[in-house]
Amino acid sequence: MPHKIGFIVVSSSGHEDGFSAKELMVHAPTINGWRSPRLCQYPQEIVLQMVERCRIRKLQLLAHQYMISSKIEFYISENLPEYFAPYKSERFRRLGYVSLSNNEKTGYKARELKSVYVDAVGQYLKLTFHKNYVNRYNLYSQVALVAINIIGEPADASNDTNHSSREKLIDHYLGNNPDDSALDGTYTGKPDLISPLDDLAFDMYQDPEVAQIIRKLDEKKHEAVRQEHYDHAKKLKQAIADLQKVGERLGRYEVEKRCAVEREDYDLAKQKKQQMEEYRLKVYQQLELHNLLDPDLLIRRPPDLPLEPVAYPTASPQQKRPLLSPRWDKTEAESPEPPPPEKPPEAPSPEPVAAQAISPPAAQAPISTEAFPKINVEFLPYDERPLPTIRKQQEEGFPYLDPEMNEEDPGDTPRSGVVGEPEPLTEKALREASSAIEVFGEGLVAGAYSKTWSYREDSLLAIYKKMTEVSTNTPKDDLKNLLRGAIFLIVRAIKDIVSSVFQASLKLLKMIITQYIPKHKLGKQETTYCVERTFPNLLSRTGDSSARLRVAAANFIQEMALCNEVKPLQIIPAHLVQPVKPNSPTHLAMSQVELVERLLKDLGTDNTGFTVDNVMRFATGALEHRVYEVRETALRIILDMYRQHRAVILDYLPPDDANTRKNVLYKTLFDGFAKIDGKLTEAEIRAQRKTATDEAEKQKKDEIKVLQGQLAALKDMQTEAQAVKEKENDFQKAQEEFLKKAPQPSKADTPDDHTSVANYLDNLCIFCGERDESFTEEGLDLHYWKRCPMLTRCEFCKQVVEIASLTEHLLTECDKKDNFDKCPRCCEALPKDELPRHVKGKACNPAKPEKVANHCPLCHENFTPGEEAWKVHLMGKDGCRMNLRRTQSLNKSMPMQPVAGRPVGAPLNRSGPTGMKLRSPSVGSKIPTPRGGMNKSTGRTYAKR
């Protein structure tokens, strides 16, 4: 198990005279510690060698009041570098660093105890001290370390330190936290816990001789427990607690004696020495009286010999230990510095520590000096105990010279077998406890008010016994007076910091509510009185620094809320849903929201004191708390309420919009609502959208690849067409030259067929058959663009296309073809957003097969099949009424002349600059919009159906 690791100082970068680093090897109240040289260079280093290769679990540093390093780094190594100086940092492995407080808040009159958890294996530990904090007392820019403690275990034994699964399971069901040390000030024996006797604070505030005796008694106590001699173990436990008070007092006397010597006040020094010897002798006589002291325990440890290495109090690397009062530092008489703050001003009188059971000092938070006299810490978890502090006790008038007059004898508590009575009540206590004194007597009440925890516990147990034995024939008024007197003492005991006293108060309160009131039929009024008087204090204890006390208080509140006598009153739910302030203490807020969550599951919101309104107001307020765990619990409460009440819960929350979802809490909340409703969360919707987008993008890329392939094919076709055109031009030129050279035939001769066809196509529109002298190349383009009744302009891409192929153009060729789809009835192209309504309306004229009839895309009528029927329909008098160019064509119509030697639908080649040729019918024809006027040199391609 982890324990103190012994060490020696191998070397340091320097020290001030009288403050060598070797002082760190000794832990005692009067130790000076190490100081760096004056006006030194930084960083400063100290190298420690541990007694063996070990696994370090925890480090403890006790800093100076004003010579404070801004940062301390830790390095570890298996062995020293070959060259002893300077040390090669690369041979050491860096563990990390800790930062220390600059101590301004305490006026440089307290010392910081820093605890750090580590897990590193090695034999050499190096500490690197960085530059000091600047303050008015540190005139020479020094840094200092009062003490260092190492806790660990041999490297080979580190694998045995984990809890067994059986022990963890037992701890879980008993409600124990494995990180809490023993409440009684001694080690529990679990392998991963650290004994409070190994803590640095224990040796720094204990007389070395008494500390050795305490360790021996602790060993005997464990041996008694192993042999199941529990009565003897109980006596040893109480003796250890009392000896800790004695050791602290003797340590204070030693410091005061040394201060007197440095001031050359030898009379006071002699007085202190005699006082120590008399007090020590008296304590040893008490121990011998109870057969607790063996002769070998009286061997005194020389104060100048190094103690075993020390341990660091449990704290995370981020946690700070409280600042310790510098009461053990001796005055630097020889120093020309101004009076350092480590010298207590006017030698303030220490508090009577023996008036309370004080365990080895170690705490997680600073304890105020005003509250400390009333704190009994013997049964606090070890890591949560307050450190003893030096304070003036003017109101108690405690003199140094006669401590026995104002202190309890270390063995005068009933638990150690010494007969004694609690101290008498003060006038103030007599006044405020008058009602309890009338029914229980002054003796019991004095025990409840005693500064000794055992008297307080015994008093409560005596009241418990007395109330259980009360006869049912007792008058109601007497019964009520007994109850109210007991409640008065319970309210006081609930605030007691000693665990056993607190547990006794809970036991008494439970008996009153569940047995005393029902047995004597006192009614709901008295139950209400009990709950309302005790609940505020119980709730405040759920915010206690001790995890064990917090759990006990919370469990008792839950048990009390569910018991048959209290549940109908609906008092506890109404108190629990009081708003939680955003800056309320962490433990208190956490316990409150957890209690609400647990009781909601047990009670619900149906006539239980919990309503949808008060629970939701409480939960939404808890969402604003500064602590994450409180907010998470509030989220769970709201989600549970939503499962039961659904839409009603939304009235208490902001709207679910983008601005609200910027808050992570509300985003989590609304996503939880969606899961409860069986819907997709926003994150899942985004993931689906992303998947769909990725698929669409992939499909688009595939289409682009296909189109690129088609474009390449079109370029090849264009190249071939250009080559054919050049061949035709060459052929035409050759023919013209041949005709020029050939003799001119007479008019009677038969004209050349090719010349006749070329002359016939001049000034002729091959689509509508109109002939006009103005139909030059530019004239024909203008005719096609504006007047030809067989053609029309596409409204979407502005190309000129044949009316017969308009549907095919919109579906396959138009720039907006993706916006169109084909009606299954009329086979026309319609916009996709209008197509469902169009199909549903069934108002369109169904198209017939192409061999049966043609279907006009303008007037939607069916007419005779065939190509010539298109001319009749689009140009005739009774033709398509929706063709606006038909009227112009009728006004300028001329007889249709058949083309010689051309079957119907055959392509015609027009010689000349316009160079017409037939396109594939499946592609459809299109005539691009003329841009910047007509150009003779521009070759265009038209198609005749």
Side-chain angles (χ1 to χ4, degrees):
M1 71 179 188
H3 57 82
K4 280 187 179 183
I5 301 296
F7 64 86
I8 61 172
V9 177
V10 175
S11 183
S12 67
S13 53
H15 61 84
E16 184 181 355
D17 292 342
F19 298 94
S20 169
K22 295 189 182 297
E23 295 241 350
L24 298 174
M25 298 161 56
V26 181
H27 296 160
T30 55
I31 204 68
N32 292 323
W34 167 81
R35 288 187 189 178
S36 67
R38 296 183 177 185
L39 302 175
C40 62
Q41 293 184 348
Y42 290 97
Q44 293 283 306
E45 293 182 351
I46 296 177
V47 178
L48 309 177
Q49 178 182 357
M50 290 167 279
V51 294
E52 60 181 332
R53 180 176 177 269
C54 61
R55 179 179 295 275
I56 301 176
R57 295 295 189 181
K58 193 162 69 169
L59 298 174
Q60 285 181 295
L61 302 175
L62 184 58
H64 196 266
Q65 303 90 280
Y66 56 88
M67 297 181 185
I68 307 171
S69 173
S70 58
K71 182 170 72 171
I72 302 177
E73 291 184 286
F74 301 95
Y75 298 83
I76 195 167
S77 175
E78 297 284 350
N79 46 43
L80 280 178
E82 296 177 3
Y83 301 98
F84 210 60
Y87 299 110
K88 294 184 178 180
S89 60
E90 63 269 18
R91 295 295 298 272
F92 284 89
R93 180 167 61 88
R94 186 174 184 271
L95 299 179
Y97 72 92
V98 293
S99 300
L100 301 176
S101 169
N102 59 16
N103 218 8
E104 288 181 3
K105 293 183 178 179
T106 67
Y108 309 102
K109 294 182 180 180
R111 291 184 283 186
E112 182 178 5
L113 178 61
K114 194 77 166 182
S115 296
V116 187
Y117 276 120
V118 295
D119 187 3
V121 177
Q123 192 170 2
Y124 294 88
L125 181 69
K126 182 171 74 170
L127 283 73
T128 301
F129 298 82
H130 291 262
K131 188 165 181 61
N132 63 293
Y133 287 115
V134 178
N135 57 67
R136 65 181 182 274
Y137 297 110
N138 195 357
L139 301 180
Y140 302 103
S141 300
Q142 295 171 273
V143 294
L145 184 64
V146 178
I148 180 172
N149 194 17
I150 304 174
I151 289 184
E153 56 197 339
D156 298 334
S158 60
N159 295 329
D160 301 330
T161 60
N162 293 327
H163 270 307
S164 67
S165 59
R166 178 175 175 271
E167 289 173 334
K168 288 183 178 180
L169 190 63
I170 292 172
D171 284 342
H172 172 73
Y173 283 104
L174 291 179
N176 295 335
N177 185 351
D179 295 329
D180 289 341
S181 298
L183 298 179
D184 301 333
T186 53
Y187 183 59
T188 63
K190 293 189 178 181
D192 58 346
L193 297 181
I194 298 168
S195 170
L197 304 182
D198 286 338
D199 192 86
L200 176 60
F202 177 78
D203 281 323
M204 294 304 292
Y205 294 99
Q206 285 285 336
D207 175 75
E209 181 178 335
V210 175
Q212 184 69 2
I213 295 174
I214 290 174
R215 287 190 173 94
K216 294 289 186 181
L217 292 179
D218 188 58
E219 293 176 4
K220 295 177 68 176
K221 185 192 74 172
H222 288 298
E223 181 62 28
V225 171
R226 281 193 294 270
Q227 296 179 4
E228 298 187 357
H229 298 161
Y230 297 119
D231 290 337
H232 187 56
K234 184 176 180 182
K235 292 175 68 175
L236 287 169
K237 167 188 162 184
Q238 185 61 41
I240 289 171
D242 293 336
L243 275 175
Q244 287 171 353
K245 297 181 288 184
V246 172
E248 288 180 346
R249 160 161 278 186
L250 290 172
R252 272 205 314 277
Y253 289 166
E254 180 66 26
V255 172
E256 292 162 4
K257 183 184 73 174
R258 290 204 178 189
C259 289
V261 170
E262 290 177 357
R263 293 194 303 268
E264 298 186 353
D265 187 353
Y266 301 118
D267 292 335
L268 180 59
K270 182 180 178 180
Q271 255 182 350
K272 291 296 177 185
K273 180 182 177 182
Q274 293 175 350
Q275 196 173 14
M276 289 175 62
E277 291 176 350
E278 292 173 1
Y279 188 42
R280 194 188 304 272
L281 180 60
K282 181 178 179 180
V283 171
Y284 291 163
Q285 288 173 350
Q286 289 289 340
L287 292 174
E288 289 175 349
L289 178 65
H290 300 287
N291 298 320
L292 297 177
L293 190 62
D294 293 335
D296 59 340
L297 297 181
L298 292 175
I299 300 174
R300 296 195 180 187
R301 176 183 297 174
D304 55 342
L305 292 181
L307 301 176
E308 293 181 358
V310 245
Y312 276 63
T314 55
S316 63
Q318 292 80 17
Q319 268 184 317
K320 285 187 177 180
R321 280 293 180 179
L323 298 173
L324 306 183
S325 173
R327 58 183 182 183
W328 306 129
D329 279 9
K330 74 174 186 180
T331 305
E332 302 175 37
E334 73 283 1
S335 173
E337 304 178 44
E342 62 193 59
K343 178 180 179 180
E346 300 300 328
S349 301
E351 65 168 304
V353 288
Q356 51 196 331
I358 298 179
S359 58
Q364 293 285 39
I367 304 298
S368 67
T369 57
E370 292 78 11
F372 190 73
K374 298 180 181 179
I375 296 176
N376 294 302
V377 296
E378 179 180 343
F379 285 97
L380 275 179
Y382 169 63
D383 282 341
E384 298 176 355
R385 291 179 186 163
L387 288 161
T389 55
I390 190 164
R391 299 177 301 106
K392 293 185 179 180
Q393 295 292 330
Q394 296 173 351
E395 69 274 9
E396 296 188 17
F398 171 65
Y400 278 114
L401 302 181
D402 194 8
E404 292 82 0
M405 297 290 295
N406 293 279
E407 291 189 280
E408 294 178 7
D409 192 292
D412 66 352
T413 66
R415 298 307 172 95
S416 59
V418 178
V419 178
E421 294 293 334
E423 59 270 26
L425 293 171
T426 62
E427 291 185 6
K428 180 182 177 183
L430 286 170
R431 286 196 302 270
E432 69 179 18
S434 58
S435 60
I437 293 172
E438 289 179 2
V439 292
F440 295 117
E442 188 172 345
L444 277 180
V445 178
Y449 271 78
S450 174
K451 293 181 180 180
T452 305
W453 66 268
S454 56
Y455 287 137
R456 298 196 297 275
E457 182 183 7
D458 290 342
S459 175
L460 292 174
L461 296 177
I463 293 172
Y464 180 95
K465 183 178 180 182
K466 182 175 182 178
M467 294 188 72
T468 54
E469 295 173 352
V470 173
S471 171
T472 54
N473 298 326
T474 307
K476 293 288 186 182
D477 291 340
D478 294 343
L479 293 171
K480 291 180 180 180
N481 291 337
L482 272 174
L483 182 143
R484 294 175 185 272
I487 292 299
F488 172 81
L489 296 178
I490 288 172
V491 170
R492 177 183 175 84
I494 286 174
K495 296 183 289 185
D496 202 300
I497 198 167
V498 178
S499 177
S500 59
V501 179
F502 174 69
Q503 295 287 353
S505 68
L506 297 185
K507 179 181 178 182
L508 178 57
L509 178 58
K510 181 179 178 180
M511 185 275 294
I512 291 174
I513 293 176
T514 60
Q515 299 177 27
Y516 183 82
I517 294 177
K519 175 183 177 182
H520 299 286
K521 300 178 182 179
L522 296 181
K524 293 182 179 180
Q525 183 178 358
E526 298 305 317
T527 305
T528 304
Y529 175 83
C530 294
V531 175
E532 289 182 343
R533 289 297 308 277
T534 57
F535 182 79
N537 285 356
L538 279 172
L539 186 60
S540 68
R541 290 314 297 270
T542 62
D544 197 277
S545 58
S546 166
R548 184 167 182 173
L549 294 182
R550 287 200 304 272
V551 171
N555 289 341
F556 186 84
I557 289 175
Q558 183 179 10
E559 182 181 358
M560 184 168 63
L562 296 176
C563 76
N564 296 330
E565 292 77 18
V566 179
K567 183 178 178 180
L569 303 178
Q570 303 180 10
I571 299 174
I572 293 179
H575 279 82
L576 285 177
V577 292
Q578 295 302 313
V580 176
K581 296 181 180 179
N583 58 348
S584 60
T586 302
H587 292 320
L588 182 61
M590 192 65 204
S591 298
Q592 187 173 349
V593 292
E594 284 181 347
L595 276 170
V596 171
E597 182 185 22
R598 286 150 57 181
L599 287 176
L600 268 174
K601 292 178 180 178
D602 294 331
L603 299 175
T605 56
D606 186 13
N607 195 27
T608 61
F610 288 127
T611 64
V612 174
D613 182 70
N614 61 26
V615 172
M616 285 305 300
R617 291 182 186 278
F618 168 80
T620 51
L623 287 177
E624 306 299 326
H625 199 272
R626 57 188 174 83
V627 178
Y628 171 78
E629 289 80 3
V630 176
R631 299 195 297 269
E632 281 294 304
T633 309
L635 275 178
R636 293 198 300 270
I637 292 174
I638 295 175
L639 291 174
D640 288 341
M641 293 293 290
Y642 186 79
R643 287 187 184 93
Q644 301 173 29
H645 304 284
R646 301 288 173 167
V648 180
I649 304 303
L650 300 178
D651 296 338
Y652 297 89
L653 299 172
D656 183 7
D657 54 26
N659 288 333
T660 306
R661 282 184 174 266
K662 290 179 181 178
N663 187 321
V664 179
L665 280 174
Y666 287 111
K667 179 180 178 297
T668 306
L669 200 59
F670 290 126
D671 286 347
F673 291 164
K675 289 181 179 179
I676 293 172
D677 293 336
K679 301 177 182 177
L680 294 177
T681 64
E682 185 179 352
E684 293 171 343
I685 292 174
R686 282 201 305 269
Q688 285 189 351
R689 288 177 180 172
K690 186 176 183 302
T691 303
T693 304
D694 293 343
E695 291 178 356
E697 191 69 23
K698 183 179 178 182
Q699 185 178 358
K700 184 177 180 181
K701 289 180 180 179
D702 294 341
E703 291 176 356
I704 290 174
K705 288 182 180 180
V706 173
L707 291 175
Q708 287 174 346
Q710 293 177 355
L711 181 61
L714 288 174
K715 287 181 179 179
D716 293 341
M717 293 172 61
Q718 185 177 4
T719 303
E720 293 175 1
Q722 187 69 22
V724 172
K725 184 176 180 181
E726 289 176 358
K727 288 181 180 180
E728 289 179 354
N729 290 339
D730 292 342
F731 174 77
Q732 187 175 358
K733 288 180 181 179
Q735 188 179 25
E736 289 177 357
E737 290 177 0
F738 175 77
L739 291 175
K740 287 179 181 179
K741 293 179 181 179
Q744 297 292 332
S746 63
K747 293 181 180 180
D749 296 337
T750 305
D752 185 78
D753 289 342
H754 292 285
T755 304
S756 300
V757 172
N759 292 336
Y760 180 78
L761 292 176
D762 285 342
N763 310 117
L764 177 68
C765 173
I766 62 173
F767 294 103
C768 64
E770 181 181 353
R771 183 184 296 277
D772 196 304
E773 293 297 331
S774 63
F775 284 179
T776 61
E777 182 177 357
E778 293 83 356
L780 276 173
D781 283 341
L782 187 62
H783 170 74
Y784 296 151
W785 183 248
K786 289 187 176 182
R787 292 188 293 274
C788 182
M790 299 295 291
L791 306 177
T792 186
R793 272 182 292 178
C794 175
E795 296 179 3
F796 303 97
C797 64
K798 304 304 180 184
Q799 290 184 354
V800 177
V801 297
E802 291 183 71
I803 295 173
S805 62
L806 178 61
T807 298
E808 185 178 3
H809 165 78
L810 290 174
L811 293 175
T812 60
E813 295 180 343
C814 182
D815 293 341
K816 306 292 184 181
K817 63 182 179 181
D818 292 338
N819 297 337
F820 290 90
D821 210 344
K822 188 175 183 180
C823 173
R825 288 169 54 84
C826 62
C827 299
E828 294 183 24
L830 292 167
K832 289 183 178 180
D833 54 350
E834 297 179 6
L835 183 61
R837 185 171 63 254
H838 172 82
V839 173
K840 187 176 181 180
K842 298 182 180 180
C844 58
N845 186 19
K848 297 180 180 180
E850 188 176 356
K851 294 181 179 180
V852 177
N854 292 327
H855 186 83
C856 178
L858 301 180
C859 65
H860 317 299
E861 297 293 337
N862 296 320
F863 55 90
T864 310
E867 294 184 0
E868 294 300 330
W870 278 104
K871 283 188 178 182
V872 175
H873 176 72
L874 295 174
M875 299 173 58
K877 286 185 178 182
D878 300 327
C880 180
R881 299 181 183 277
M882 301 302 294
N883 187 5
L884 300 179
R885 295 185 181 187
R886 183 174 63 87
T887 306
Q888 300 174 4
S889 175
L890 289 175
N891 292 337
K892 299 177 65 177
S893 63
M894 60 180 57
M896 299 292 293
Q897 301 180 18
V899 180
R902 168 183 172 275
V904 176
L908 292 174
N909 291 332
R910 181 173 179 265
S911 62
T914 54
M916 296 286 188
K917 66 179 181 179
L918 180 65
R919 278 193 345 157
S920 171
S922 63
V923 177
S925 60
K926 61 181 178 181
I927 302 174
T929 305
R931 296 178 183 175
M934 302 299 179
N935 190 344
K936 289 184 178 181
S937 63
T938 302
R940 300 191 182 277
T941 302
Y942 305 103
K944 182 71 174 68
R945 284 189 314 103

